Amino acid sequence: MDGIYRALLEAYGPQQWWPTAAEDGPEQRFEICLGAILTQNTAWRGAAAALENLRGAGATTPEAILDLPEPVLGELLRPSGYFNAKARKVRAFCEAVLDAGGIDALLAGDADEVRARLLALWGVGPETADAMTLYAGRKPTFVVDAYAYRLFERLGRPPGKRDYDTYRTYFLGKLGTDVWTLNQWHALIVRHGQQICLRTKPQCDACILEPRCEFTRGTSAQDEA
Ligand code: SF4
């Protein structure tokens, strides 16, 4: 694992995640959580455009978002796809923030506590909860996503079946609890998946992980057959 991490870090450098417009503080933590909801089943570009719309409408706090009629909120979130469902999820999250007494209260406690609290919210699944816990709460957890499944299956190093908890438990056990490292791991996997280890046409010739990848051995053998 260390070798893969070092290679990715060397190739791409430290990643500045999570991308936000707000300065460090509660507003930034709230924005990160909104982004984690808005990027569900969509590329980050769409989520970022929806966040920009919210900023343009002055809706950067739970109170301001809840003041918007739901159809208006839906229109602002349209670039993120599934915008009516996301409007309901965002509203539910804003209500949870206010019920908790603020974003910092919602994110207070150790990683397991925060994650369980977030998972209990409507519209928040494991990937979203882990993204919020790690990037907004700055608590140790591992975010599993399609890029992680693809990369470790291609490398020939899946920790088991393609299952969220299987991957998360394995990687947390291997990687430890350093928040910066966990932050970088997920961000680097995403960067590699978007830039080099593409879904349909992976750029293996340009890949720093090529010497340790089973996928290329499989495709080379097929090419030679
Ligand atoms: S060698 Fe190809 S398949 Fe393997 S990790 Fe790199 S891009 Fe992905």
Side-chain angles (χ1 to χ4, degrees):
M1 273 312 147
D2 275 0
I4 295 170
Y5 177 67
R6 276 198 302 275
L8 291 174
L9 195 58
E10 188 181 315
Y12 302 111
Q15 303 297 291
Q16 309 300 320
W17 269 45
W18 185 282
T20 62
E23 298 291 318
D24 188 16
E27 191 179 321
Q28 185 191 62
R29 292 188 272 285
F30 179 63
E31 185 189 318
I32 290 170
C33 292
L34 290 187
I37 293 171
L38 295 175
T39 198
Q40 290 173 353
N41 302 309
T42 197
W44 175 251
R45 200 171 40 250
L51 286 169
E52 185 59 40
N53 285 349
L54 288 176
R55 276 193 292 279
T60 56
T61 63
E63 293 89 343
I65 289 173
L66 288 170
D67 275 347
L68 295 171
E70 198 165 302
V72 174
L73 178 59
E75 274 309 308
L76 294 172
L77 303 185
R78 184 181 279 272
S80 67
Y82 308 98
F83 54 93
N84 287 326
K86 286 187 180 170
R88 289 195 294 277
K89 290 179 183 181
V90 164
R91 284 181 62 85
F93 184 75
C94 290
E95 282 163 3
V97 170
L98 294 181
D99 287 349
I103 188 68
D104 286 347
L106 188 67
L107 298 172
D110 67 26
D112 288 345
E113 220 176 313
V114 173
R115 186 173 189 266
R117 194 180 298 135
L118 294 170
L119 276 173
L121 303 179
W122 182 76
V124 175
E127 184 181 335
T128 306
D130 282 319
M132 290 178 179
T133 303
L134 179 60
Y135 291 102
R138 296 179 187 170
K139 297 173 199 299
T141 187
F142 186 80
V143 184
V144 182
D145 64 1
Y147 297 113
Y149 291 134
R150 185 161 82 216
L151 177 61
F152 288 97
E153 285 172 0
R154 284 179 172 172
L155 288 172
R157 303 189 58 171
K161 60 182 174 162
R162 192 183 254 242
D163 166 84
Y164 196 96
D165 287 337
T166 301
Y167 270 63
R168 178 175 176 272
T169 304
Y170 174 82
F171 283 104
L172 269 181
K174 285 276 179 202
L175 306 180
T177 56
D178 180 67
V179 170
W180 191 85
T181 305
L182 291 162
N183 173 325
Q184 292 300 315
W185 254 109
H186 175 62
L188 288 164
I189 289 170
V190 172
R191 176 86 182 263
H192 190 62
Q194 290 177 339
Q195 196 169 318
I196 298 289
C197 196
L198 307 175
R199 187 167 63 85
T200 50
K201 288 189 179 167
Q203 309 293 301
C204 302
D205 289 347
C207 179
I208 191 117
L209 300 178
E210 192 274 338
R212 50 181 101 220
C213 184
E214 278 195 0
F215 181 85
T216 50
R217 289 198 278 281
T219 51
S220 301
Q222 282 166 17
D223 290 348
E224 286 160 16

